[in-house]
DNA sequence: ATAACTGCAAAACATTTGCATACAG
DNA sequence: CTGTATGCAAATGTTTTGCAGTTAT
């Protein structure tokens, strides 16, 4: 019965979203939410399923994918499509908006935040008359170690 | 026998890359290169294959994927992993470095360029001691038309 | 010659779907 | 009760792979 800071808050956000869309509050969905919020950093659907199964929480792959979609809808989770073929997810509530820096050699992922991005969003949105809702910036390069060898 | 501006230049870049890596200059590879450079905007592997087959150029799916990888390696093509599950490609030689603005409702894709990105690359690369080689910025939002309804 | 490339079809992979059963509201 | 959600396994769609035959160098 593990708990994390803000568990109640996050559960309430999810519950509200489900109520708003006439969807059920099932135990599976909350188990998945909890597991996501106990996870630091990026994860993929398969490893999330694996951890749940190992803990003895009976959920199926279909339910994991379905629930991740719901969590993305209500902004409790963000989905990233870095380079590979499978999506990565990350919890998003009360977590700073950030971008990513990836080493193409060793795969290390770092996070950063640059205020100029807000300026870019505002300006580009203004020019093309778009209402910008989110963005994804990923910088690819070589870290110090990999550059060494 | 269609030709596009810079065909000779682009073919030579590819030929050089193949020579450098002891790889063969096959007619299939150059047919694919030509087709890529006759295509404006984004495309995926399957539609490229379809166009080649329709033109009577005998290439297989495997060869299309293999060749696209080679073209990405020598920077003649960039691969994008927007939202969906399949990769999009785009020719890159003598084409401005740009980023993308996508309407989440209708899927429209616009291109833009903001010089501040260079500042972000330089600063973040400096702070984390990374040699930044490329970046991908995508802004998601609602275009004027979709916002209207 | 001979190592690399091609085409084909099968395999692999993440993700989605169909359907019978279970359960939240 | 009743419509949704679940679990399972089969289906999907994209990309990769193995192999026998072909070809550039």
């Amino acid at each position: 019965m593990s708990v994390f800071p803000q568990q109640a808050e996050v559960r309430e956000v999810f519950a509200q979203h489900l109520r708003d869309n006439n969807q059920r509050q099932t135990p599976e969905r909350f188990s998945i939410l909890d597991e996501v919020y106990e996870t630091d950093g990026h994860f993929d659907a398969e490893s999330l399923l694996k951890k749940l199964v190992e803990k003895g929480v009976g959920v199926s792959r279909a339910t994991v994918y379905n629930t991740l979609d719901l969590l993305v809808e209500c902004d409790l989770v963000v989905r990233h499509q870095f380079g590979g073929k499978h999506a990565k997810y990350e919890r998003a509530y009360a977590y700073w908006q950030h971008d990513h820096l990836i080493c193409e050699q060793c795969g290390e992922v770092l996070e950063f935040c640059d205020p100029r991005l807000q300026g870019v969003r505002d300006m580009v949105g203004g020019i093309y008359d778009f209402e910008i809702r989110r963005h994804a910036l990923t910088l690819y390069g070589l870290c110090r170690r990999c550059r060494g060898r």
Side-chain angles (χ1 to χ4, degrees), chain A:
Chain A
M1 241 52 325
S2 40
V3 173
F4 51 89
Q6 303 157 328
Q7 181 176 41
E9 254 175 277
V10 166
R11 277 181 171 240
E12 181 48 32
V13 170
F14 193 28
Q16 190 56 53
H17 177 75
L18 293 173
R19 265 180 246 121
D20 291 347
N21 293 75
N22 287 314
Q23 303 200 278
R24 292 189 188 160
Q25 303 185 39
T26 66
E28 289 85 354
R29 288 177 173 174
F30 286 101
S31 298
I32 292 169
L33 173 63
D34 288 350
E35 188 57 46
V36 164
Y37 268 79
E38 280 162 27
T39 304
D40 285 323
H42 308 100
F43 60 90
D44 57 37
E46 198 62 29
S47 63
L48 178 61
L49 172 65
K50 188 156 154 273
K51 285 205 297 179
L52 287 162
V53 169
E54 278 170 3
K55 286 193 176 182
V57 182
V59 278
S60 68
R61 202 182 321 276
T63 303
V64 167
Y65 278 100
N66 168 31
T67 304
L68 282 172
D69 285 347
L70 294 171
L71 292 172
V72 169
E73 276 172 22
C74 57
D75 296 316
L76 286 173
V77 166
V78 266
R79 189 204 315 270
H80 298 296
Q81 204 78 41
F82 290 136
K85 64 175 78 170
H86 60 315
K88 295 278 198 178
Y89 299 84
E90 189 175 28
R91 66 176 203 268
Y93 184 79
Y95 198 55
W96 62 323
Q97 149 74 47
H98 61 266
D99 294 290
H100 297 93
L101 173 60
I102 301 184
C103 176
E104 291 188 299
Q105 192 95 132
C106 66
E108 182 181 18
V109 179
L110 298 176
E111 300 175 352
F112 70 90
C113 185
D114 191 303
R116 278 170 283 200
L117 262 294
Q118 191 54 54
V120 174
R121 291 174 56 138
D122 292 345
M123 164 155 286
V124 175
I127 291 173
Y128 294 100
D129 200 2
F130 262 62
E131 177 192 318
I132 308 293
R133 303 244 270 224
R134 62 195 178 85
H135 76 259
L137 170 62
T138 308
L139 268 32
Y140 298 91
L142 289 178
C143 70
R144 176 195 243 300
R145 269 199 310 282
C146 291
R147 202 149 14 99
R149 349 162 318 161

